[in-house]
Amino acid sequence: MLVRASTSRVVSFVLLFGGFASPGQLAAADASPQELRAKADAALDAGNYRDAWDIYRKLALDPNDDPKLVGHDLVRGIDALLCLNRDDEVDAFRHAVVASNAKNWRLLQAAADSLFGHHDHVGCLIGGEFHRGLGRGEGETVSCFGRDRAEELQLLQRAIDLLGNEPDREAAGELYLDFADYLSDTQAWRLQALTDLSKLPDYEFEEGWFDGSTQGAPVDANGNPVFYYVPKTYETAKSDGERWRWTLSQAATYSATVKNRAALRLADFCRSQFGVQTLDRSRQADAINEELAAPFVARTLSDDETVARLANGIKRFKLPQESDYLRIYRQVAREGARPEATRALATLAICYQNRQQLPKAAETWRELVRRFGPGPEGAWQKQLDQVVGNWGRFEPVPTLPAMAGRSIPFRFRNARRLELEAAPINVEKLLGDLNADLNSDQKLIEDGRIDLGKIGFRLVQENQAQYVGAPVARWHVDLEPRPDHLDRRIEVALPLRKSGAYLVTGEAQWRQHQPHCALARRYGAGAQADAHGGTLLRRRRRDRAPDRRCQY
């Protein structure tokens, strides 16, 4: 019913897919549906796609198939068809299975998922009939993205109508979440429209229904950001955005877990539209004149405020309670189980970091570590250390002339002192060894292990100390960190006068006699340094206090 085709072609599909084995035939074959399904799964995994397809087709088209597993049979059957390069049969198979299980909401949900999970949304029109897939060498190439999206929403809408008093509250809530996800799976400005689900749209004669790019969150006629609110009913929704809010609100009524997951969906969307990360990075960087930049300085925002790039430019504004993503994250952090609460706290901390409100970020990371531990491989503790710990790095520099007054930029936070030393690099030995390796092992070229731009990296990471001589200079710089864990960038003067290549190592210290981490950057001068430039990086850790780790 959803394939544009002539009558004869529809009949041929019915004949092709209408012949399924009855329960009696399955029993006669001395194999239960469970055994057949296991056999099909094994065949598909083993690459016997035709055998797998034959079994999945019989199972999925059987009206007596397990209502909780027929979706599995449909999806795996589609997988088998795609492996057989029979993309053009997928739609007809899906439609036939839906017709055989029209009252099964789980099957309708699986059919909707399969529309976007298993193939591209392009095809060609040949004689007015649509054929999914490319590479036929004939017909007009068209996009079916909009059509697939509308069909997917139709299936989910029908599934919701069939829910009734579904006892599996978790699964029913997941259905609403699916519906919400597919409603919002488009460019944000398209949510202002109300998709007509009474019919399927035509194919489009350009590839890609949308390109995924964005020019800022949509605005209304007065230039204000567009917010979506929950309508009284699904039928009274005036846009897909309101349909989306309604489905999220319905999902929240089924279980606490689904409620918090729905809240995270809402917060994530609002953050993607109105978060400070939508600005250019230059807008978030330190301003030369902070008074002039004050309206847009993210760290001056209150929690219910934001500054974001909208379709009509950058604007600072208050968020309504329903779209205040920081408030929603905090609520989920308080009420959610571990998976939802940890994600809410981690995202909340990142939001504060994006706003350069680092004390709040540190407080949130501490709460996350206190309640749930250091995180996978210590990730949450490391994030906390990154904010409050002793941190610094050398910024990239070009080759410098060997003369007085040369310096390299250094960015740091929290540290009070920087101990430095410079050691010469034996360029002749390094290049000689590289040349010998190149002549002896062609694989070095294929693996990129002789990339001149990575020589400095390999000196440090691969501990190639044989190319680094004894230090020729040692000195220190007293540092004045900015308050609230903010970064400061300074120029570090270099005492080097002789041309060549040097490994410059710095140890940023919290206070005197507490060296913490080492950083290094190549200092080059003259033709020799220019010939093998690149970043040199070395780390030392003498003080292992967990709140002072250096990360860069």
Side-chain angles (χ1 to χ4, degrees):
M1 61 179 174
L2 300 178
V3 175
R4 179 181 295 175
S6 65
T7 302
S8 61
R9 187 173 181 84
V10 172
V11 171
S12 67
F13 283 148
V14 172
L15 291 175
L16 175 62
F17 296 119
F20 54 82
S22 68
Q25 289 173 314
L26 293 175
D30 285 335
S32 67
Q34 293 80 4
E35 292 170 331
L36 286 172
R37 187 172 292 109
K39 182 178 179 181
D41 289 343
L44 185 62
D45 294 340
N48 298 322
Y49 307 127
R50 179 55 186 268
D51 293 343
W53 157 243
D54 288 340
I55 299 174
Y56 286 132
R57 177 169 58 104
K58 292 177 181 179
L59 289 170
L61 289 169
D62 185 351
N64 295 316
D65 195 12
D66 188 328
K68 292 186 177 181
L69 295 177
V70 63
H72 166 275
D73 300 332
L74 168 66
V75 170
R76 297 285 276 179
I78 291 175
D79 288 339
L81 279 177
L82 295 178
C83 290
L84 291 167
N85 293 319
R86 290 162 61 176
D87 304 45
D88 200 25
E89 299 178 34
V90 169
D91 290 329
F93 175 52
R94 182 188 299 107
H95 300 154
V97 175
V98 167
S100 296
N101 299 268
K103 300 299 183 182
N104 183 344
W105 68 263
R106 296 176 189 273
L107 181 276
L108 297 178
Q109 182 182 20
D113 290 343
S114 72
L115 267 166
F116 269 68
H118 287 78
H119 39 236
D120 295 328
H121 308 289
V122 293
C124 55
L125 288 177
I126 303 176
E129 296 181 357
F130 176 72
H131 299 263
R132 190 180 291 274
L134 293 176
R136 295 180 176 276
E138 55 182 331
E140 295 179 283
T141 299
V142 293
S143 167
C144 58
F145 183 93
R147 190 179 178 90
D148 285 349
R149 179 175 180 269
E151 182 179 348
E152 178 182 55
L153 297 179
Q154 283 182 339
L155 290 167
L156 290 172
Q157 186 173 271
R158 287 172 55 189
I160 285 176
D161 290 341
L162 293 170
L163 270 179
N165 296 320
E166 172 60 48
D168 190 341
R169 306 287 290 174
E170 202 77 19
E174 289 292 334
L175 174 60
Y176 277 103
L177 285 183
D178 259 11
F179 200 179
D181 288 344
Y182 289 124
L183 279 166
S184 61
D185 187 20
T186 183
Q187 285 178 307
W189 63 268
R190 291 186 184 271
L191 290 177
Q192 299 172 90
L194 185 68
T195 302
D196 183 1
L197 298 181
S198 65
K199 59 182 179 180
L200 294 179
D202 267 336
Y203 303 101
E204 297 175 307
F205 288 92
E206 64 269 0
E207 289 191 31
W209 192 60
F210 68 96
D211 60 9
S213 63
T214 179
Q215 299 298 323
V219 296
D220 60 21
N222 297 319
N224 297 317
V226 174
F227 302 106
Y228 300 109
Y229 298 93
V230 181
K232 290 184 178 180
T233 65
Y234 177 82
E235 290 73 21
T236 60
K238 298 178 181 179
S239 65
D240 282 352
E242 290 191 2
R243 282 174 170 170
W244 168 68
R245 287 299 312 274
W246 182 86
T247 53
L248 286 179
S249 69
Q250 292 300 302
T253 65
Y254 279 87
S255 75
T257 299
V258 176
K259 175 184 176 181
N260 286 305
R261 292 176 61 189
L264 287 175
R265 299 273 209 292
L266 174 59
D268 290 344
F269 176 83
C270 293
R271 175 178 175 246
S272 73
Q273 294 294 291
F274 311 123
V276 299
Q277 80 284 345
T278 61
L279 305 178
D280 294 335
R281 292 183 63 85
S282 59
R283 292 281 185 174
Q284 301 178 54
D286 296 342
I288 296 176
N289 188 332
E290 291 193 358
E291 283 190 19
L292 294 177
F296 300 116
V297 174
R299 61 177 174 273
T300 66
L301 296 168
S302 61
D303 277 7
D304 62 349
E305 276 188 302
T306 191
V307 55
R309 180 176 295 281
L310 306 178
N312 59 349
I314 294 173
K315 186 173 183 176
R316 180 170 181 161
F317 54 94
K318 280 189 175 293
L319 291 164
Q321 187 177 26
E322 297 87 344
S323 300
D324 183 351
Y325 56 91
L326 295 183
R327 181 192 67 82
I328 300 171
Y329 285 131
R330 283 194 297 272
Q331 178 180 332
V332 175
R334 289 192 304 269
E335 301 175 0
R338 180 186 176 97
E340 291 75 36
T342 54
R343 191 166 84 76
L345 283 169
T347 308
L348 185 61
I350 292 171
C351 288
Y352 283 130
Q353 286 181 213
N354 288 341
R355 291 168 168 241
Q356 296 189 19
Q357 297 174 341
L358 298 179
K360 290 184 177 180
E363 180 183 350
T364 308
W365 287 122
R366 285 193 185 97
E367 179 183 351
L368 181 57
V369 171
R370 182 178 67 252
R371 290 174 56 185
F372 301 105
E377 299 183 355
W380 302 331
Q381 180 64 55
K382 291 175 183 176
Q383 288 284 355
L384 173 60
D385 297 340
Q386 182 82 349
V387 176
V388 303
N390 190 25
W391 179 93
R393 74 180 182 199
F394 288 109
E395 304 273 83
V397 291
T399 298
L400 302 175
M403 58 184 290
R406 299 300 90 191
S407 64
I408 53 178
F410 180 71
R411 183 179 293 273
F412 70 96
R413 73 175 69 112
N414 304 322
R416 296 282 181 177
R417 183 181 174 93
L418 180 64
E419 296 283 349
L420 301 115
E421 69 177 32
I425 298 171
N426 190 331
V427 177
E428 293 183 1
K429 177 175 173 56
L430 189 150
L431 294 179
D433 289 351
L434 272 180
N435 186 56
D437 290 341
L438 176 61
N439 293 329
S440 63
D441 190 351
Q442 183 69 20
K443 188 169 176 52
L444 290 174
I445 301 178
E446 299 170 2
D447 294 346
R449 283 182 285 169
I450 62 163
D451 184 352
L452 294 180
K454 295 182 179 179
I455 288 177
F457 177 83
R458 289 196 295 274
L459 281 177
V460 176
Q461 296 299 321
E462 298 178 10
N463 195 28
Q464 296 180 339
Q466 68 270 27
Y467 302 115
V468 182
V472 295
R474 289 189 175 91
W475 72 107
H476 78 270
V477 177
D478 290 327
L479 305 174
E480 294 184 14
R482 295 176 68 188
D484 297 332
H485 312 298
L486 293 170
D487 289 1
R488 170 159 285 165
R489 186 178 185 274
I490 63 171
E491 292 290 326
V492 175
L494 295 170
L496 305 172
R497 300 292 182 271
K498 184 178 179 180
S499 64
Y502 296 84
L503 177 68
V504 178
T505 303
E507 291 184 276
Q509 301 175 355
W510 180 256
R511 56 179 67 89
Q512 194 170 10
H513 307 307
Q514 287 188 326
H516 182 58
C517 66
L519 310 118
R521 171 71 64 183
R522 172 187 60 83
Y523 168 75
Q528 288 182 329
D530 190 55
H532 55 84
T535 300
L536 305 185
L537 192 62
R538 183 169 63 198
R539 300 179 66 178
R540 298 178 196 161
R541 186 174 296 152
R542 297 177 187 171
D543 180 356
R544 295 185 177 273
D547 62 340
R548 296 177 187 151
R549 293 178 189 165
C550 177
Q551 311 249 325
Y552 48 88

